[in-house]
Amino acid sequence: MERTAVNPVTWSVEMGFNQGELVSGHTRTLYCSGQTAMSGDGEPQHDGDMEAQLALSLANLEAVLGEAGMSLADLVRLNVYTTDVDLLFRHYGVLASRLGAAGAAPATTMLGVTRLAIPALMVELEGTAVA
């Protein structure tokens, strides 16, 4: 598989994401459902704590990737949904540091939403990975 970053501008690279990812020669694509701060039994966790919810959402995304024999390094697309964009930005380092450590800079979109499926949740991560 070959991945090529597509960046007609450079500001996004400094923020840890590419404008686009051109993927060729891959054999597997994994489309991940949105991952949130849910326990293994389906109970919402960390009510009101954006940092903890973001960390658990990312851990849950990594678990899905791992089950498919992939890792954060295989992410080519990451959608971030949040009920509070400003609060998420204050804790964005949780996400950026883990992606950076994995050498991942997926094309990313962040959207502010009125609410998520479960009202206590504040952030949801949806990814696409290729290997």
Side-chain angles (χ1 to χ4, degrees):
M1 175 187 79
E2 182 179 336
R3 290 172 63 164
T4 305
V6 179
N7 289 303
V9 296
T10 59
W11 63 264
S12 63
V13 176
E14 294 168 10
M15 292 185 70
F17 68 93
N18 292 315
Q19 292 292 314
E21 292 251 338
L22 178 62
V23 181
S24 58
H26 70 287
T27 58
R28 299 184 316 133
T29 303
L30 175 65
Y31 300 93
C32 301
S33 291
Q35 299 298 307
T36 60
M38 298 289 277
S39 69
D41 338 345
E43 294 297 322
Q45 303 294 300
H46 311 299
D47 191 20
D49 186 341
M50 176 66 80
E51 183 175 13
Q53 284 197 18
L54 183 56
L56 182 53
S57 298
L58 188 54
N60 288 339
L61 178 60
E62 284 184 288
V64 174
L65 293 166
E67 188 73 17
M70 297 178 171
S71 71
L72 289 176
D74 297 307
L75 278 179
V76 296
R77 181 85 180 131
L78 181 65
N79 295 328
V80 180
Y81 304 96
T82 183
T83 59
D84 190 332
V85 172
D86 294 326
L87 183 59
L88 180 62
F89 271 130
R90 288 200 294 273
H91 300 287
Y92 200 75
V94 170
L95 179 60
S97 65
R98 299 223 349 235
L99 290 174
T108 302
T109 297
M110 182 188 297
L111 295 171
V113 297
T114 304
R115 63 164 270 198
L116 297 172
I118 297 173
L121 298 176
M122 301 160 52
V123 63
E124 186 165 339
L125 305 176
E126 174 187 73
T128 302
V130 296

